[in-house]
């Protein structure tokens, strides 16, 4: 299934995209798509619905984040060999784990706002993993059983905040609007192998990133198992799993960063596309 939340910010309704690509309203079946709707039993009930009986949604409403009530937004750094190389950083021996603020989460096509004083806002297309049931000390062999589904994520980063202001990466990763998710949450039964997904990102129509999850250093299963050793993963938690090469901070011969008026488009095979216009900071 391709599950969505559509409508104005804060007033999103649950929906799904049917086999013909039609947006259907799920409001009569569930109140929202959040932690309680992500377990296997709940997803199985939704999968048994006759989509032809669900109301078709007219027009092209805004898509919100496909999951409500995200508790933790966990990120993995330097998870593609070529990306680590372009940053002149060593290949990590263990997953690099940091956090993105949940307040940065937004819809896939909502504008991206440059932080106050930003000079180095950068782009990163990433595979997102949404947890469906509580995971503590899970084995790598069973780790994918804890996944509700997958989504496209744009892990925006302010490189000066991230690398030049001291401390952890978090301050450059959690700025408002720096976490577009969606457009869909694609349930794991439709993604039999998350390590074979093509991904891309364009800025103003110019291809900047092209990659495939097959080149991850640490697989999705490894990441879930690893992170579950250090914190309990709860339903609705999101893990963003790293980006392929092509970020703006290490473009040759000169770095390129996002500016007001830029348009970023990105997508992952089978998981849908995003489009964001870059806007200036405002309170």
């Amino acid at each position: 299934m391709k599950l969505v939340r559509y409508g104005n910010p804060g007033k999103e309704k649950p929906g799904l995209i049917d086999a013909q690509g039609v947006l259907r309203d799920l409001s009569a079946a569930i109140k929202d798509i959040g932690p309680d709707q992500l377990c296997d039993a709940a997803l199985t009930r939704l999968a048994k619905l006759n989509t032809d009986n669900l109301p078709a949604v007219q027009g092209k409403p805004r898509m919100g984040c496909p999951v409500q009530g995200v508790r933790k937004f966990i990120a993995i750094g330097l998870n593609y060999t070529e990306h680590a190389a372009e940053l002149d950083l060593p290949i990590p021996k263990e997953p690099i784990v940091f956090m993105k603020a949940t307040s940065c989460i937004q819809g896939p096509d909502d504008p991206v706002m440059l932080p106050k004083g930003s000079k180095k806002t950068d782009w990163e297309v990433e595979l997102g993993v949404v947890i469906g049931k509580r995971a503590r000390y899970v084995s790598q062999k069973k780790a994918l059983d804890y996944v509700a589904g997958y989504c496209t994520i744009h892990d925006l980063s302010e490189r000066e905040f991230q690398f030049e202001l001291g401390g952890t990466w978090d301050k450059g990763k959690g700025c408002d609007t720096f976490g577009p998710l969606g457009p869909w949450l694609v349930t794991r039964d439709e993604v039999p192998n998350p390590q074979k997904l093509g991904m891309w990102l364009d800025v103003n129509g110019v291809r900047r990133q092209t990659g495939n999850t097959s080149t991850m250093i640490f697989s999705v299963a490894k990441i879930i198992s690893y992170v579950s050793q250090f914190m309990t993963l709860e339903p609705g938690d999101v893990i963003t799993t790293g980006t392929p090469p092509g970020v703006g901070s290490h473009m040759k011969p000169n770095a390129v960063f996002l500016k007001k008026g830029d348009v970023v488009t990105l997508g992952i095979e089978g998981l849908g596309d995003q489009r964001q216009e870059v806007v200036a900071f405002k309170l």
Side-chain angles (χ1 to χ4, degrees):
M1 288 182 295
K2 294 181 175 68
L3 298 174
V4 302
R5 298 174 65 251
Y6 67 95
N8 294 329
K11 297 182 179 180
E12 292 92 346
K13 295 181 179 181
L16 61 77
I17 307 297
D18 70 14
Q20 288 72 44
V22 176
L23 172 58
R24 302 279 182 171
D25 183 18
L26 275 176
S27 298
I30 53 174
K31 183 178 180 180
D32 207 339
I33 299 170
D36 293 341
Q37 289 77 41
L38 297 176
C39 66
D40 289 347
L43 292 176
T44 297
R45 286 194 294 271
L46 288 179
K48 291 180 178 179
L49 293 174
N50 184 340
T51 56
D52 291 340
N53 294 333
L54 299 172
V57 178
Q58 302 301 313
K60 295 184 178 180
R62 166 191 174 269
M63 292 293 175
C65 173
V67 181
Q68 178 271 337
V70 175
R71 299 168 183 173
K72 293 192 290 295
F73 194 178
I74 303 158
I76 307 298
L78 303 181
N79 197 30
Y80 289 73
T81 304
E82 298 91 342
H83 178 52
E86 73 177 344
L87 297 182
D88 298 319
L89 294 171
I91 304 301
K93 296 180 179 179
E94 298 190 26
I96 295 174
V97 181
F98 61 95
M99 307 296 285
K100 286 178 73 77
T102 56
S103 55
C104 80
I105 293 173
Q106 64 170 20
D109 299 330
D110 294 342
V112 163
M113 182 177 67
L114 297 171
K116 185 177 182 179
S118 171
K119 299 177 182 178
K120 298 181 179 181
T121 293
D122 206 346
W123 56 80
E124 295 187 5
V125 58
E126 304 200 2
L127 170 65
V129 180
V130 179
I131 299 299
K133 60 182 177 180
R134 178 174 290 184
R136 298 178 67 230
Y137 299 99
V138 302
S139 69
Q140 188 170 332
K141 182 178 180 180
K142 295 183 177 180
L144 296 185
D145 294 341
Y146 291 80
V147 175
Y150 302 91
C151 63
T152 302
I153 292 181
H154 190 182
D155 175 23
L156 288 129
S157 312
E158 213 299 340
R159 301 301 188 191
E160 181 181 13
F161 299 176
Q162 180 183 2
F163 292 123
E164 300 175 35
L165 300 186
T168 65
W169 289 4
D170 302 43
K171 66 181 72 174
K173 292 285 192 171
C175 304
D176 291 348
T177 76
F178 270 25
L181 270 69
W184 317 313
L185 172 65
V186 181
T187 52
R188 75 170 188 269
D189 59 297
E190 294 195 9
V191 188
N193 187 351
Q195 304 306 147
K196 289 186 177 181
L197 302 176
M199 55 208 308
W200 59 274
L201 182 145
D202 293 352
V203 180
N204 299 326
V206 177
R207 182 59 45 91
R208 295 302 191 187
Q209 289 186 279
T210 302
N212 194 288
T213 57
S214 63
T215 64
M216 282 183 180
I217 298 169
F218 305 106
S219 68
V220 171
K222 172 63 177 180
I223 290 167
I224 294 170
S225 175
Y226 184 85
V227 173
S228 77
Q229 314 303 309
F230 302 101
M231 65 187 81
T232 299
L233 297 173
E234 301 281 0
D237 286 352
V238 175
I239 305 175
T240 190
T241 57
T243 198
V247 296
S249 59
H250 284 70
M251 296 289 295
K252 305 296 183 184
N254 299 306
V256 177
F257 296 107
L258 294 173
K259 62 185 184 301
K260 179 184 176 182
D262 285 346
V263 174
V264 184
T265 51
L266 60 144
I268 298 179
E269 181 181 353
L271 304 185
D273 301 347
Q274 301 185 358
R275 181 188 184 278
Q276 298 116 26
E277 181 178 351
V278 180
V279 299
F281 171 81
K282 63 178 180 179
L283 289 173

